[in-house]
Structure formats: structure tokens, C-alpha cells
């Protein structure tokens, strides 16, 4: 909660922590947190890091044992996908056994194919914040939690892309677009009929989407934006008018975001 509270946002000057259970008092209890310790004096500043040349085994010659940077996997549709070798990530099968990245991608392709029939369905599901959240919950039921979904972004070498583009690549081999590219398309062509304070609100939400990801587009986040920008949902009515129109614009912007 504190981590979310410290996220920056244009117009946000402070945040408040409500500790209803007095959790902070645990730090005054030696039996819970131990006795206070003296601070450790700082040591000398470390020197700049030294990085080896890629493919150099220390003697100037390429190391043939180095894993490949990218792996090509042919999926059940007959098309190939390129994935990154990620040594720090472990993948697991449905029965809890470790599997290779290629096997994990094939499992993901099969699970997604059972949920999504075609590109139109993926776009329709993802463009609506309610159906998108339901879809993410279904993925969690198949052991693809939020952390694992971020692993998939790195696996297909799309860390700055929306999960919509990640799934589009896995299912249909479409090259992923970045969140910046999608947001820029809306800023350029998607807000021509929106003006004034509502336009500024939507532009702020797009910036948050670029920085933090598609989670910023969930419907409950809209109330957080209104509170951060205007001091409260009720206070926002004086600047934005009818809140149902604001919710409609929030949804409409997402339709434009995933239009292609």
C-alpha cells in the first residue's frame, strides 16, 4: 500500500497512510523487531562497474557455451515465435515440475487459445476494463498471476508493451507495440472531440498507463485519479460535471487505445 502511495502523479503533492491496526507500533516492541542496533558507518564508495564484452569468456575469445540470446519456438499454429533466454526465471508445468522456456510458451499458447478464439475477441475483451479484469482473473486461475504475466513480457522481449500486445504476439505472431506507441496514437488521433479539463484528465491517465502499465486503466483507478487531481470524487464534479460522462470517456479512451 505504501509502495502504491509513493507513486508519482502530476498534481499529486502528498499521500496519507491510515494505520488502522497500529502496525507501526510493532517497531517499538523488542520481542517483535529485536533491540535497536547502532547504524553501520558508510564504507568507501565503490568504483564504477566493469562489464565484460558480450561473448567474451575472459580471454578475448567467444564462449561457445554461452546460451543464445534468443530462441525460436514453433507453436501449434505452425508459426514461429522468438523468445529471450532468461536465466533468472524458472518456469513450471501444471503439475509443478520445472520446464524450459519453450515448453512454457507452448503451454501458454494452448491455454490462451482455449480462452480466445480470434483477434476480434481478444480486442473486445481487452478494450473493456470489466471484461479485461475478468480475463486476468481467469488467467490467475490457470496459475498466471501478475508476476508470471510480467515474466511473459520479458520472455517475448516486450517489457514496455501492454499485455494485449504480448498475447497478440503469442497467439497471432503480431509484433508487439509499446505502451508509448499506443498512448501516442490516442494523443494524436483519439482525443480530437474531447476538450477542457476532461482532456487533461485523460492525458494524465495515458501518462500513468505508459509508466505503470494496463493496471492503471482498471475502473477502480478512476476514483484514485479524481481524488489525486481534485481532492475527491465529489469535488471533481465542479470541474468535470456529470461523473457518468467521465466514466464513459474513460471507457471510450480505452476502446481507442486498443483499436488496432
Amino acid at each position: 500500500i505504501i509502495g502504491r502511495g509513493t507513486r508519482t502523479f502530476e498534481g499529486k503533492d502528498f499521500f496519507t497512510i491510515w494505520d488502522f491496526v497500529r502496525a507501526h507500533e510493532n517497531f517499538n516492541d523488542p520481542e517483535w523487531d529485536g533491540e535497536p542496533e547502532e547504524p553501520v558507518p558508510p564504507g568507501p564508495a565503490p568504483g564504477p562497474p566493469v562489464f565484460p564484452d558480450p561473448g567474451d569468456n575472459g580471454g578475448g575469445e567467444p564462449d561457445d557455451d554461452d546460451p543464445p540470446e534468443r530462441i525460436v519456438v514453433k507453436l501449434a499454429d505452425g508459426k514461429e515465435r522468438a523468445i529471450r533466454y532468461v536465466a533468472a526465471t524458472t518456469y513450471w508445468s501444471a503439475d509443478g515440475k520445472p520446464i524450459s522456456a519453450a515448453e512454457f510458451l507452448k503451454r501458454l499458447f494452448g491455454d490462451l487459445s482455449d480462452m480466445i478464439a480470434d483477434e476480434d475477441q481478444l480486442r473486445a475483451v481487452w478494450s473493456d476494463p470489466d471484461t479485461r479484469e475478468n480475463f486476468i482473473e481467469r488467467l490467475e486461475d490457470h496459475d498466471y498471476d501478475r508476476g508470471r504475466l510480467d515474466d511473459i513480457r520479458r520472455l517475448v522481449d516486450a517489457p514496455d508493451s501492454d499485455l494485449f500486445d504480448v498475447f497478440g504476439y503469442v497467439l497471432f505472431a503480431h509484433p508487439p507495440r509499446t505502451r508509448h506507441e499506443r498512448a501516442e496514437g490516442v494523443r494524436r488521433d483519439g482525443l480530437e472531440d474531447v476538450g477542457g479539463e476532461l482532456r487533461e484528465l485523460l492525458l494524465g491517465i495515458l501518462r500513468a498507463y505508459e509508466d505503470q502499465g494496463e493496471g492503471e486503466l482498471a475502473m477502480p483507478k478512476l476514483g484514485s485519479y479524481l481524488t489525486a487531481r481534485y481532492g475527491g470524487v465529489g469535488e471533481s464534479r465542479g470541474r468535470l460535471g456529470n461523473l457518468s460522462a467521465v466514466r464513459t470517456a474513460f471507457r471510450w479512451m480505452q476502446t481507442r487505445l486498443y483499436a488496432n
Side-chain angles (χ1 to χ4, degrees):
I1 296 301
I2 293 176
R4 288 182 177 273
T6 55
R7 289 181 181 176
T8 58
F9 183 80
E10 184 177 350
K12 173 180 174 181
D13 301 316
F14 67 93
F15 69 96
T16 303
I17 301 171
W18 295 94
D19 185 1
F20 294 104
V21 295
R22 300 182 178 275
H24 70 281
E25 293 183 356
N26 286 321
F27 294 98
N28 296 324
D29 183 359
E31 294 184 2
W32 185 84
D33 194 45
E35 295 290 342
E37 297 181 0
E38 293 295 326
V40 179
V50 177
F51 300 102
D53 291 335
D56 194 332
N57 62 8
E61 296 295 330
D63 190 345
D64 293 336
D65 294 331
D66 283 346
E69 179 67 16
R70 297 175 70 82
I71 304 169
V72 176
V73 182
K74 180 175 287 189
L75 298 181
D77 61 353
K79 298 178 182 178
E80 294 180 340
R81 314 293 195 277
I83 60 176
R84 291 190 61 190
Y85 175 84
V86 186
T89 302
T90 302
Y91 302 98
W92 303 90
S93 66
D95 55 2
K97 296 180 180 179
I99 57 177
S100 69
E103 291 170 325
F104 176 77
L105 184 67
K106 291 177 181 178
R107 175 201 164 193
L108 174 64
F109 176 80
D111 289 340
L112 288 175
S113 298
D114 290 340
M115 301 180 197
I116 297 295
D118 52 35
E119 298 175 46
D120 290 338
Q121 184 185 7
L122 176 61
R123 180 169 288 107
V125 166
W126 206 257
S127 298
D128 182 277
D130 294 329
T131 56
R132 182 173 63 242
E133 192 62 28
N134 290 336
F135 182 63
I136 291 175
E137 290 175 359
R138 290 179 63 195
L139 287 171
E140 290 178 347
D141 292 339
H142 285 74
D143 297 325
Y144 300 105
D145 59 18
R146 307 277 176 161
R148 182 58 77 197
L149 293 177
D150 285 335
D151 288 341
I152 295 168
R153 274 189 243 259
R154 292 187 289 271
L155 180 67
V156 301
D157 201 15
D160 299 320
S161 293
D162 194 297
L163 282 173
F164 173 78
D165 288 284
V166 172
F167 295 150
Y169 180 66
V170 173
L171 283 170
F172 312 116
H174 294 327
R177 299 171 63 188
T178 65
R179 295 192 300 271
H180 171 74
E181 289 172 330
R182 290 200 169 276
E184 190 62 27
V186 176
R187 283 191 288 261
R188 184 180 59 248
D189 302 321
L191 298 177
E192 60 271 12
D193 296 328
V194 182
E197 190 64 29
L198 181 57
R199 179 186 179 90
E200 293 304 312
L201 173 67
L202 296 180
L203 288 173
I205 294 173
L206 281 175
R207 287 191 292 270
Y209 161 76
E210 285 183 88
D211 293 339
Q212 303 295 334
E214 61 281 337
E216 299 299 308
L217 301 177
M219 281 306 296
K221 292 291 294 186
L222 181 57
S224 301
Y225 291 127
L226 297 177
T227 299
R229 193 174 185 91
Y230 305 108
V233 175
E235 290 82 348
S236 67
R237 290 190 179 92
R239 302 287 298 276
L240 298 171
N242 192 319
L243 291 182
S244 64
V246 177
R247 286 190 287 268
T248 298
F250 186 57
R251 290 178 177 275
W252 170 82
M253 182 190 72
Q254 298 187 43
T255 301
R256 295 290 298 169
L257 191 67
Y258 300 112
N260 50 55

